[in-house]
Amino acid sequence: MKLVVVSAGLSVPSSTRLLADRLAAVAAPAATAPEPQPAAIEVIELRDLALEIAHAFTNGFPARALSAAFDAAAAADGLIAVTPVFSASYSGLFKSFFDALSATDENALAGKPVLIAATGGTARHSLVLDHALRPLFAYLKAVVVPTGV
């Protein structure tokens, strides 16, 4: 079982990354409950790929690190996607990553279970889960788990 965590936090340390790590720590044992082997977890820090994501849009080709991130996301058995909330939606970096991924392979996330999560400053920010993240992953043909964090 391989879980890939996509974290769109911008700061160091990042509350978004902290949430991503906590979700992965809980999801990994649950995903492999009947199996004795623990899930392999790979974290993709979008902050580190920001320039490569921008270049992928301007030249049409993902660079080596971004291509590896795309391959990891496409090969994962499940995805945990975490973004900070900006202007009542996901971050531009988060959206750009998934746009570039789908431009490379429009079926990369087809049928893949995705746990969505977001960090925000108020309880109203939780609306992002159902009004922005769920529709994004539905468009990408992923299977969004009913619970969002």
Side-chain angles (χ1 to χ4, degrees):
M1 167 72 65
K2 180 180 178 188
L3 291 176
V4 170
V5 178
V6 178
S7 175
L10 297 176
S11 60
V12 178
S14 165
S15 59
T16 301
R17 175 61 191 267
L18 177 64
L19 176 59
D21 289 343
R22 287 185 177 179
L23 291 173
V26 171
T32 60
E35 300 173 19
Q37 290 189 326
I41 298 172
E42 181 175 345
V43 177
I44 299 171
E45 273 288 355
L46 297 185
R47 177 186 67 248
D48 299 336
L49 298 171
L51 287 175
E52 289 192 24
I53 292 169
H55 288 152
F57 281 111
T58 58
N59 66 23
F61 299 99
R64 186 174 298 148
L66 183 58
S67 183
F70 288 167
D71 291 345
D77 295 306
L79 201 67
I80 298 173
V82 188
T83 180
V85 175
F86 292 124
S87 301
S89 190
Y90 36 68
S91 73
L93 182 60
F94 184 85
K95 177 70 161 64
S96 294
F97 174 79
F98 288 105
D99 283 347
L101 171 62
S102 67
T104 303
D105 178 2
E106 66 181 30
N107 292 311
L109 300 182
K112 192 170 307 296
V114 177
L115 172 63
I116 55 174
T119 54
T122 70
R124 292 182 301 162
H125 286 134
S126 66
L127 295 171
V128 168
L129 297 171
D130 291 322
H131 292 276
L133 289 170
R134 230 173 259 289
L136 170 66
F137 287 105
Y139 177 81
L140 296 173
K141 305 173 192 159
V143 178
V144 183
V145 299
T147 302
V149 181

